Amino acid sequence: MDKQIKVKNIPSEVKVHKPASQQYDRFNPRNRIYVRAVTGLHQMLRQRLGFIAMLSFMLLPWLNFNEQQAILFDIFNQQFTIFGLTLWPQDLTILAWLFIIGAFALFLVTTFYGRVWCGYMCPQTVWTFIFIWFEERIEGSANQRKKLDQRKMDFDKFWRKSLKHTSWVLFSLFTSLTFAGYFTPIRDLMVDFFTFEASAYAVGSVLFFTFCTYGNAGWMREIMCLHMCPYSRFQSAMFDKDTFTVAYDAARGENRGPRGRKQDPKALGLGDCIDCSLCVQVCPTGIDIRNGLQYECINCGACIDACDGVMEKMKYDKGLISYTTERNLESAKKTHVLRPKLIGYSVVLLVMCGILAADIMTRMPMDLDIIRDRNQLFRINNEGLVENTYTLKVLNKSQQVQRYQISVEGLDQFEVLGKTEFDVNSGESYSVPLSIVVDPYDLKRPVTEFNFVLQPVTDPSTQLAQPSNFFKGR
């Protein structure tokens, strides 16, 4: 038989405050949150999504495509390679569109389902939970970790703390090496780093990102979300009454208070919330979701799983804390899923994806830059013909060696002096000095416009024409 508990009927508008010594000031960065482990649907989903994100991050630099590293952002050589697509400074519009599309996709998801990106896929969240996993395996549960920190230093505490921080540092180092592998060939980096042959720049970068990962995921954690993340500050601009967020149903839960499993809460004047505070203990940012929507909430759903577990044990309906909307909580009306803001974000996102696709499809796998001889616009050679000198810079944007051919359109009775057919290696630029000679009697104007045409020998249908001028003089 359950123990009878006498509970006063506390009005919903009256708040019960804990003693100052038991309160947690989440705005004080020196206070530490001991996140309690919880299981449930949302945590299983978060763990699997985090595993996929982590696995993708770790494996992508090791993939090869066309005998080259599939993803490599080579800043020194100013070329970004993404599965056979090489982007140069001239192609920065494609990168810009990618970033803009990513931002609008985040806006769309936030408008529909709140800060789920922060709770499920944000690197800060993923790495923080990985570091907490190390803590749980080495130091124990949340209560055990708290007692361990309060205990004076002894051998047991020393080896546990040493092992924990060593695992954090090693994982941070592995993370940093992987991250650096996106910007320099990862296979060479791994060999050079551990054989002490890496450059000072590479070693400095790896150590810097190791320190940042160790500090952010090991020590700062929720401080990043509470005080440093800009997204948490402007996310409310995308929220409306139909945005799904993690919320507590106060109408059902209040008045809150403890009771036995077989006691009737209505007879005691209580709601379904038993005031166990598990929703606070499992929250990675240390907030109480029962206080309403707060910018610190990252929508990870940990409090939902904790509360559903309690409701199941109490034989109450689940969903006291759930993903719901403000409109649903206030008036129990049906949420408006299709609404102007959501449709607007979707339309803009589709348009930008279309522009990006068109930009990639119309992108030329080569580039041609024409540089004139600025010291002498033209000269008259020994035969009395007009000669203009040019330097053509040909950039091969493809992943294979290409043989190119240069031709001229727009001039009559001309002669080209110089190499008009040549090979260019993948990702390299090749300079071609050329001179064009024309009989002055065939030139009707002092300045004649014409085009240099660049085309691969193996694919004459692909052509790139660049305009230039031929000077006759007076």
Side-chain angles (χ1 to χ4, degrees):
M1 180 179 296
D2 293 329
K3 183 179 179 181
Q4 299 296 321
I5 303 176
K6 294 183 180 181
V7 181
K8 295 182 179 180
N9 187 4
I10 303 175
S12 59
E13 64 272 10
V14 177
K15 294 183 178 179
V16 178
H17 296 279
K18 293 182 179 180
S21 60
Q22 298 179 12
Q23 291 184 11
Y24 170 74
D25 181 9
R26 66 177 183 273
F27 297 106
N28 186 350
R30 295 182 180 178
N31 286 334
R32 183 182 176 190
I33 298 175
Y34 296 88
V35 181
R36 181 169 177 165
V38 62
T39 58
L41 174 64
H42 300 92
Q43 296 318 291
M44 180 186 68
L45 179 61
R46 179 191 58 75
Q47 291 170 1
R48 293 186 178 180
L49 289 176
F51 176 78
I52 294 174
M54 176 63 66
L55 189 64
S56 301
F57 169 77
M58 295 297 182
L59 292 182
L60 281 177
W62 295 95
L63 297 181
N64 277 3
F65 189 86
N66 290 337
E67 299 182 354
Q68 292 182 342
Q69 188 168 320
I71 298 180
L72 180 62
F73 306 119
D74 193 344
I75 297 178
F76 289 107
N77 293 320
Q78 299 182 358
Q79 64 182 54
F80 292 174
T81 303
I82 306 174
F83 287 98
L85 175 66
T86 302
L87 303 179
W88 298 84
Q90 299 89 336
D91 303 315
L92 286 181
T93 54
I94 295 179
L95 287 177
W97 281 119
L98 286 173
F99 286 124
I100 294 173
I101 288 173
F104 268 86
L106 182 60
F107 298 161
L108 175 64
V109 172
T110 303
T111 302
F112 181 67
Y113 233 81
R115 261 181 97 179
V116 290
W117 160 259
C118 295
Y120 290 83
M121 296 292 289
C122 176
Q124 176 68 22
T125 302
V126 174
W127 263 259
T128 294
F129 276 106
I130 290 175
F131 276 44
I132 291 176
W133 181 87
F134 280 115
E135 277 188 339
E136 292 175 344
R137 295 300 178 277
I138 298 172
E139 297 182 354
S141 65
N143 289 332
Q144 290 173 327
R145 298 197 301 271
K146 188 174 182 178
K147 291 179 180 179
L148 183 68
D149 287 344
Q150 295 172 347
R151 201 169 71 197
K152 291 183 179 181
M153 181 62 69
D154 54 19
F155 178 76
D156 180 69
K157 182 176 181 178
F158 175 77
W159 80 261
R160 289 182 186 276
K161 291 292 183 182
S162 300
L163 181 59
K164 180 187 74 172
H165 287 284
T166 301
S167 63
W168 282 1
V169 170
L170 291 177
F171 189 79
S172 299
L173 177 62
F174 181 63
T175 297
S176 181
L177 285 168
T178 303
F179 181 74
Y182 281 89
F183 300 92
T184 187
I186 191 169
R187 291 170 175 81
D188 297 338
L189 174 65
M190 289 292 183
V191 174
D192 292 344
F193 185 84
F194 289 105
T195 57
F196 304 102
E197 296 181 0
S199 64
Y201 177 81
V203 173
S205 299
V206 169
L207 294 180
F208 172 76
F209 286 110
T210 299
F211 172 77
C212 291
T213 305
Y214 171 76
N216 288 345
W219 293 95
M220 300 185 70
R221 295 188 180 176
E222 74 283 349
I223 296 176
M224 294 291 297
C225 303
L226 299 181
H227 305 290
M228 302 181 68
C229 177
Y231 179 52
S232 64
R233 297 304 193 271
F234 67 78
Q235 61 168 332
S236 58
M238 290 164 275
F239 282 18
D240 54 38
K241 289 190 175 183
D242 297 296
T243 299
F244 285 90
T245 58
V246 175
Y248 166 70
D249 189 352
R252 173 187 161 188
E254 302 296 331
N255 295 318
R256 64 183 84 154
R259 80 294 305 267
R261 294 185 183 181
K262 296 183 179 180
Q263 288 182 294
D264 183 8
K266 293 182 179 179
L268 298 173
L270 298 175
D272 285 354
C273 179
I274 67 171
D275 204 18
C276 62
S277 297
L278 280 179
C279 55
V280 181
Q281 297 175 36
V282 301
C283 179
T285 58
I287 66 171
D288 189 342
I289 195 63
R290 296 172 295 180
N291 293 333
L293 180 63
Q294 300 153 72
Y295 77 88
E296 300 94 339
C297 177
I298 61 174
N299 265 27
C300 65
C303 55
I304 298 178
D305 290 333
C307 187
D308 282 349
V310 173
M311 294 296 103
E312 186 175 5
K313 292 178 181 178
M314 297 296 296
K315 301 188 183 305
Y316 297 164
D317 293 335
K318 296 181 181 180
L320 180 60
I321 301 177
S322 64
Y323 283 103
T324 186
T325 64
E326 184 180 352
R327 187 183 304 277
N328 194 11
L329 288 176
E330 287 181 352
S331 57
K333 293 181 180 179
K334 188 176 181 180
T335 298
H336 301 155
V337 177
L338 295 177
R339 51 195 188 275
K341 183 189 291 188
L342 198 64
I343 294 174
Y345 279 134
S346 301
V347 171
V348 172
L349 188 61
L350 289 175
V351 170
M352 290 190 298
C353 288
I355 294 175
L356 174 63
D359 199 357
I360 294 176
M361 292 177 64
T362 58
R363 173 182 177 272
M364 298 296 292
M366 53 192 176
D367 194 31
L368 175 62
D369 190 18
I370 302 171
I371 303 174
R372 290 189 56 87
D373 185 356
R374 299 185 181 276
N375 295 325
Q376 190 176 27
L377 294 179
F378 70 95
R379 75 180 186 90
I380 307 299
N381 63 16
N382 295 332
E383 299 177 359
L385 303 178
V386 181
E387 181 177 342
N388 283 202
T389 302
Y390 308 85
T391 299
L392 278 60
K393 287 193 173 182
V394 178
L395 176 63
N396 179 10
K397 296 182 180 180
S398 69
Q399 296 292 321
Q400 296 83 28
V401 178
Q402 295 286 349
R403 187 168 187 80
Y404 294 105
Q405 184 178 23
I406 291 287
S407 59
V408 175
E409 292 180 349
L411 291 176
D412 297 328
Q413 304 298 324
F414 64 91
E415 181 183 359
V416 178
L417 304 179
K419 187 186 296 185
T420 59
E421 196 169 303
F422 45 86
D423 295 328
V424 182
N425 293 327
S426 171
E428 292 187 359
S429 180
Y430 185 81
S431 296
V432 184
L434 290 178
S435 293
I436 299 180
V437 179
V438 181
D439 192 322
Y441 293 101
D442 294 329
L443 298 171
K444 300 179 181 180
R445 295 181 298 276
V447 179
T448 303
E449 295 182 355
F450 71 99
N451 291 326
F452 281 106
V453 180
L454 176 68
Q455 60 185 22
V457 174
T458 56
D459 185 14
S461 61
T462 303
Q463 296 184 348
L464 177 61
Q466 291 285 12
S468 188
N469 295 317
F470 188 92
F471 290 88
K472 171 187 176 182
R474 299 188 182 276

